[in-house]
Every structure is written in C-alpha cells, then in structure tokens.
Amino acid sequence: MSRPLRADIDLDALRHNYQLACDLAPRSRSLAVIKADAYGHGAVACAHALADLAPAFAVATIEEALALREGGITHPVVLLEGVFEVAEYTLAAQHDFWCAIHSEWQLAALEATELSVPLSCWIKFDSGMHRLGFTAPEAIEAKARLEASGKARDLHLMTHFSTADSLTPDYFRQQLAAVQRLAESLELPLCLANSPATLACPEAHGSWNRPGIMLYGADPLEGANEASRRLKPVMTLSTAIIAVREIAIGEPVGYAGRFVAKHPTRIGVIACGYGDGYDRHAVDGTPVLVDGQETVLAGKVSMDMMTVDITGIPEAEVGSRVVLWGKGLDVNRVAASCDTISYTLLTGVLPRVPRFYHGGRLSMVAESSVEASSTHA
C-alpha cells in the first residue's frame, strides 16, 4: 500500500478491555458487542480474537450476524434489535441467533412462524430510554405469550440505560429500579449493563452485561474513574506528512481560508480526510501527534488531506509519522474538537482505510475469515 494512511488494530488491547469488563462484573457473563463492524475495527477479526473469552456476541442486524457465521464464528449471537422481517426468524433458528423482542409485531410474527427449534428470546423493556421496548404490563403479557407459543426458550429481560455515563445518575437509578421490579415479578434473568454501567455502576451488573465501546478502549464516562483509566486503545489511526509548506504572515490555508497564519508557519499536509472518515467538523486546534509530539490541525479537513501546524516541530518533514488518534492520543480528545463522540469517529473510518491486525489470537484467524480490506501484520 503506497498511501500512508492506516488503522492498526491491537487485538491484545481488545482482549484486555474485554477481560476488564469481566473482572468488573465477576458474577455476570459479558456479551461482546461487535455491531457496526466492531465499531469500525472489523467484526470478524475482533470476534476471532475474543472467541476463547466471550460466550456470545451481540450485533444490531441479522446481516451482521450472518457475516460472523460466514467468517467462521460459531458462538451464539444476539440480535439487539431483533428481526426486521418475519423471514429472519427462520434464519435465526437455523444459525442460533438470540432475538430481542421489543414490539407487538415481532411477538405476533414469532407466534405465527414455523420454526425448526425454539428461539432464545430477550424481552426488551422500555425502562425510560423510550426508543424500543414494552411497557411493564406489555412485557408481562409478552412473557406469557412466548411461553405459550412453544417458539421460545431461555427467556431473558433486557433494557437500555440512557444516562449511565452521567455524573448525576438519578434517572439511571430510576430506570434500574423499574427493571429490577419487573424482573422480580417475571422471575427472569437480566441483561443490563452497557459500557458505562459496566465501568461505573456495579448495582446494574445483570446475569448478562453488554460492553460495547469500552471494548475498543474509548472511555464512555463523563468523568473517568479508576476502571475506565485501565482501558487500552485498540485502533490507532495514523498517516504521514506528504508535503511541507512555508506560509507567510497573513496567508490562509485550506478551503475558505479558515486558518490564517499569525506568524511565519510551517504547514504539514497529511494523507487523511473526510473521504477516509475523519470528521470534517474538526476545528483548528484539534490535537494531532507528529513524530510523537503534539500539535494541532490548521485549516479545514478536505476529502483526502488535512493540514497541521508543524512550526514547533522543526525536525518534521515529508514522511514524518502522524497519529490522528489511538496510542498516545485519546480519541475522546479528538471527538471533543469535532463536537461529537468517540463512537462516531471509530465507526466512521471508511473501508478504503486498510486495517492491520496485531497480537491477540491472529495465528488462529484464517485469511479468508477477515474482510478483504483488512491486513494481518
């Protein structure tokens, strides 16, 4: 590959972060959430790296689940949003996909579907997120209907917290109390904690937890705690300087001339842009590492290039290595400069950026099991 932009994926860090989730909740089992192509890291490769640790995986769609099967993953896979079409229930039964049930139409469709085997079903309760899920009376009815249908097995109750990352957790505690009351009345095991709750809310550790973003080393909490400081970044997005420009006082850089030199300035042009998934909304001053030294973005992000101020790094030149986030530069800091969150940056890295996998259980990952755009290193 001649273009220097790359995403290095540290599978040992991924395993460390998953083990941290398990250590924080020793009485729970932890689903490894690898939806959205493992938050941009490569779902098949990440699943293989976690295969000896994780009892099950979780994704958003049946297409994501089928891609895992095609990649050689045989673990149970939870469909967090359930099915989108009735025919998907047949595929779920064939492939041992566990289905969330969050609405009347999904419940009725399951009752009407002929299945080869009953499905593991996870009843979703709307405890206050108000996206998907049944009310408490509806969840009670759903359990009774699933049990009567003969189409369901291993029933669980699940919910999703909207404020577990908050420094003021009052609403989270309200949600938790509601789902715990319902679970007691239904006598069902709970699938509860997302990444923030796994890290900071031991009272929300259920029979199953659902760590997601924390697996990839990004801290989801509003304020870091002792546990989240132990997370290790999995993706390091890096590139190189491809040109150096000497800019006089008063001269603009980039589209619309947003950055104007206030003193003689050396500008490094680097190979990365919004066409690769870097956020176009990054402001001047967004942190960047050049040859291990921190500097800043200077000028608007273009489709294929960006410009950074290397005035204070006189040794920087064409070929100097640039880290955009990852080891040495917290992705959350970059996200804050883009008025977004780490989730959007990581999942937004586009397929033309090659992934290079390191560590983990790579020796056990067949070449055909990893996306064509991925590379082992």
Side-chain angles (χ1 to χ4, degrees), residues 15 44 84 88 125 140 156 170 220 236 252 258 276 301 326:
R15 288 169 60 83
V44 171
F84 295 88
E88 293 177 9
F125 168 51
I140 293 169
H156 288 69
D170 292 347
T236 297
R258 184 181 71 184
D276 303 295
V301 176

Side-chain angles (χ1 to χ4, degrees), residues 88-110:
E88 293 177 9
Y89 279 127
T90 302
L91 285 172
Q94 291 174 357
H95 292 282
D96 192 23
F97 297 153
W98 301 353
C99 291
I101 306 285
H102 63 70
S103 59
E104 167 61 27
W105 82 263
Q106 288 180 331
L107 178 57
L110 180 58

